[in-house]
Amino acid sequence: MRRPRPLLHLCLTLLLLSVSPICAHAGGDQETPGARRNAAGTAIERLDAARAAPVKDIDGYTIRIAAHWPGPGRHLASGRYTLDLWEQAAQKYDVNFEWIEMPNPDTLIEKMVSTIMIGEPFADLIWVDGSRAIPVLAEANLLLPLDDYVDLADPRWPPQIREACTYRGKTYGVYPWVLAGGAGIWYNRSLFEREGLPDLLELQRRGEWTWDQYLEIARKATRDRDADGAIDQWGITIGYEIEYDLIQSNGAEIVAREPNGEFRFRMDSPAAIEALEFIRTLYTTGVTTHGEEQFISGRAAMYGGQLFQGNHMMTNMRDEYGWVFYPRGPSADGYVSVAGTGAMLAIPANVNYPPDRLGKILKEITPLDHQQEIQMEFWEGAVTSAEDIETIRQQIDSMVYSWTGNFPGLKRSVGEILREIRKGTSPATAVEQYKPQAQAAIDAVFR
């Protein structure tokens, strides 16, 4: 996967001529008005000075929506309903709609920030990666809080918005729907049956899908099938970073959001250290290999991944496959599904079109009444059984968020910890060594 550019540095570079004070504690005025730090005050002053005159003639205005993917099409339920709602809103508000597709998330953020700073945002509604929006863009006051412009009290909005899209008591984006609950384990049902292994869905139903079972099944599945002296079937293949999900499957967190809104590095908790000890066991037991292709070709029993990969498997995999939660760690109370904050629809600061009117339009073009149909279309394109769909529903209800990707540089520190563990360093020692560096990566956003 392509690593995103450090968003904090990008924000710093674009927001002020002097780099150091750019992304300072701009959001702090929500708690103590008038008590902003000087650097943040400078940023706010520049935003205020950049404000262009509002649109004088709103008749026939074109609402520009930007994202780093193609616009809605009628080949999908989500696109059909969205386009129909665009037509209705166009008549009601005398507006047009234009979709702006950007090459990638970096280009989108760069253009958003630079055009906000001249008082002419290039789009009125922008699909922003939540890991880039919170806390960095929110701290820099580059997004409008939606609370005063969008009816967020409507119960049809996905409840996950309250956790993933809010910061310091304000909401900076919305989801039109939630298609998946986050990460999970793909498993090869055909291989499991052939090897006489217990079905993971049945273990999950009985509450017996645990780390111990995960490792034991991986050991039994790893073997030399053609007797040539080399392992050619693996228990676990790794594509995505399973370590992050295993840590949270034990009731631990890498980054915790405190009740006061602050973020703290928490990889030194007993539950996290316990998870790292288990991860070290996986590293040294010889049951893992790498690559999605190993799973699709039937050479691996289990693969930690994301639900959207199911469409590729459905097209290319000959064996039957299934989808379950990550196994439960010994310190966890139940199963969880770990998700990033995902893409959210936001209104950029300095928007020229009246934001109260824009907020009404945003809600009216969101197909809130058709979420179930949109979800089902996606699910049926990823998994092959009603039981797997039921797991997806449970994962959405049990979703927890990882904030690791929301702080530029933090994953580098976590990666160093994992590399030290692979080399034989004890988890507690590795975490202690890199904890100051990790917390500094978090704190950098607020200075």
Side-chain angles (χ1 to χ4, degrees), residues 2 33 35 37 102 121 144 202 213-214 382 406:
R2 188 168 157 285
R37 301 176 185 179
M102 301 297 292
L144 284 185
E202 290 303 317
Q213 285 281 6
Y214 182 49
N406 295 55

Side-chain angles (χ1 to χ4, degrees), residues 44-257:
I44 301 302
E45 290 169 6
R46 288 208 51 180
L47 281 170
D48 289 341
R51 294 190 188 282
V55 175
K56 292 183 178 179
D57 186 4
I58 62 175
D59 295 336
Y61 183 82
T62 297
I63 304 291
R64 299 155 298 167
I65 306 173
H68 63 273
W69 59 78
R74 293 195 174 275
H75 61 291
L76 293 175
S78 59
R80 291 193 296 274
Y81 290 124
T82 297
L83 291 172
D84 288 345
L85 291 173
W86 281 11
E87 293 178 2
Q88 296 172 26
Q91 296 179 10
K92 180 176 180 179
Y93 292 97
D94 190 13
V95 294
N96 303 299
F97 290 93
E98 176 188 357
W99 186 273
I100 302 174
E101 182 183 352
M102 301 297 292
N104 56 59
D106 295 332
T107 306
L108 185 149
I109 295 293
E110 186 172 353
K111 188 162 186 177
M112 185 191 82
V113 174
S114 62
T115 56
I116 285 174
M117 292 311 298
I118 62 172
E120 295 290 341
F122 82 105
D124 305 284
L125 299 171
I126 300 180
W127 283 97
V128 182
D129 186 336
S131 67
R132 297 158 187 254
I134 296 173
V136 175
L137 297 180
E139 273 290 311
N141 281 10
L142 292 170
L143 299 176
L144 284 185
L146 300 184
D147 309 77
D148 295 334
Y149 308 116
V150 180
D151 175 16
L152 299 176
D154 191 321
R156 293 177 299 169
W157 288 112
Q160 288 79 8
I161 290 172
R162 292 193 293 271
E163 172 69 10
C165 303
T166 61
Y167 180 65
R168 296 190 185 277
K170 298 291 185 180
T171 305
Y172 288 90
V174 290
Y175 295 152
W177 47 70
V178 175
L179 296 178
I185 298 289
W186 296 104
Y187 69 106
N188 186 320
R189 280 193 168 110
S190 300
L191 186 155
F192 270 63
E193 184 176 352
R194 183 178 70 239
E195 299 291 346
L197 300 171
D199 186 79
L200 299 191
L201 180 61
E202 290 303 317
L203 290 178
Q204 178 179 283
R205 284 173 172 167
R206 298 197 300 264
E208 298 172 5
W209 175 222
T210 62
W211 284 0
D212 287 343
Q213 285 281 6
Y214 182 49
L215 181 56
E216 182 64 20
I217 289 170
R219 283 178 169 144
K220 290 179 179 179
T222 301
R223 66 185 187 90
D224 174 12
R225 292 184 60 187
D226 57 11
D228 66 350
I231 298 297
D232 52 22
Q233 177 176 287
W234 304 88
I236 299 168
T237 186
I238 301 172
Y240 284 82
E241 298 156 319
I242 66 172
E243 299 91 344
Y244 295 84
D245 301 292
L246 286 171
I247 289 169
Q248 296 204 226
S249 75
N250 200 37
E253 295 176 286
I254 296 174
V255 178
R257 183 154 70 167

Side-chain angles (χ1 to χ4, degrees), residues 243-244 247 254 265 267-268 272-273 276 279 283 410-438:
E243 299 91 344
Y244 295 84
I247 289 169
I254 296 174
F265 183 69
M267 213 166 167
D268 57 348
I273 297 298
L276 292 174
I279 289 166
Y283 289 161
L410 178 58
K411 292 189 78 171
R412 188 178 305 113
S413 298
V414 176
E416 292 292 346
I417 291 171
L418 297 174
R419 276 187 285 275
E420 287 294 324
I421 293 172
R422 286 191 185 97
K423 291 190 300 184
T425 305
S426 76
T429 299
V431 170
E432 187 65 24
Q433 179 181 353
Y434 288 98
K435 179 179 177 180
Q437 175 181 311

